[in-house]
Amino acid sequence: MATEKQINYVLGLQEDLELVIELDEKYSKKKLEKMSYHEISPIIDILKDLFDENRSEIIDVKTDFIGMVHDARGY
């Protein structure tokens, strides 16, 4: 079975990637929990590659969001 760490990693990568691109397929926690280690490993590899390709855009979006929160709170 897939480990909790692997499942959370996939969910986190999906969340970050959705900030900048639309994913063809999104995996739910329930679906990931049913997967074996060998089924989830290729998904992790694909998502990591996508994340690496879009890293700067993801960082920009997160930085902009943090800036908006700081501005709203008056920091």
Side-chain angles (χ1 to χ4, degrees), residues 10-47:
V10 169
L11 295 173
L13 285 173
Q14 287 182 146
E15 187 177 301
D16 285 348
L17 285 165
E18 287 184 320
L19 294 172
V20 295
I21 63 173
E22 186 174 329
L23 297 174
D24 293 334
E25 186 171 1
K26 186 176 176 189
Y27 297 94
S28 68
K29 184 172 185 169
K30 199 172 224 177
K31 186 173 183 178
L32 292 170
E33 288 174 337
K34 295 178 183 177
M35 290 185 177
S36 71
Y37 173 83
H38 297 292
E39 291 173 315
I40 200 169
S41 292
I43 295 167
I44 290 172
D45 292 339
I46 292 167
L47 292 175

Side-chain angles (χ1 to χ4, degrees), residues 46-57:
I46 292 167
L47 292 175
K48 279 174 41 178
D49 289 344
L50 280 172
F51 185 88
D52 289 342
E53 291 172 16
N54 295 283
R55 181 180 304 273
S56 62
E57 292 88 356

